[in-house]
Amino acid sequence: MKKLLVLAILFFLIGNVKSQDRKLQFEVGPTLAIPFGNADLGKMVGVGAEGIVSCKMTDHINYFGQTGIFYFSGKTAIGFGASSNPTTHVPLLAGLRYTSDKGFIAGLGV
């Protein structure tokens, strides 16, 4: 059931939602997150959504702010019967993005 729900969300939210104003853009989309390190031992793949707001500074440089929400479900340790608690993660990111005429995109965020 969970896999079907994730696939349905990805199917319906795969496109970007953008405003008509070319100076200010809004984008929303689904996200899959893969845990690494110590989080990999107790967490499954995370699902969630992200939103980005960008404002045009020059023809090639944009300011942007990005946030979202991810839900990581706990997984049961094989043979031990223990399970970890689910975790919710809310990232915040702000920075600059450079876009060249040839489609190259580079960004720097904090």
Side-chain angles (χ1 to χ4, degrees):
M1 182 67 183
K2 289 181 186 178
K3 291 179 184 178
L4 183 61
L5 180 62
V6 170
L7 289 175
I9 290 171
L10 290 174
F11 179 76
F12 289 111
L13 295 177
I14 202 72
N16 288 335
V17 179
K18 295 184 180 180
S19 69
Q20 297 299 320
D21 184 10
R22 296 190 68 95
K23 186 169 178 134
L24 188 65
Q25 287 185 326
F26 300 94
E27 300 177 17
V28 178
T31 305
L32 291 176
I34 301 171
F36 288 98
N38 290 338
D40 185 34
L41 299 174
K43 303 295 179 211
M44 298 285 281
V45 173
V47 295
E50 285 188 328
I52 300 173
V53 176
S54 62
C55 182
K56 191 173 187 176
M57 187 169 112
T58 67
D59 287 341
H60 297 287
I61 298 176
N62 292 349
Y63 296 113
F64 74 91
Q66 179 177 340
T67 189
I69 187 164
F70 300 103
Y71 175 77
F72 294 93
S73 63
K75 66 181 177 182
T76 303
I78 298 173
F80 297 104
S83 65
S84 61
N85 296 326
T87 303
T88 303
H89 178 67
V90 179
L92 298 172
L93 181 68
L96 296 172
R97 181 182 296 157
Y98 171 79
T99 306
S100 72
D101 292 330
K102 303 205 185 246
F104 174 75
I105 299 172
L108 179 64
V110 176

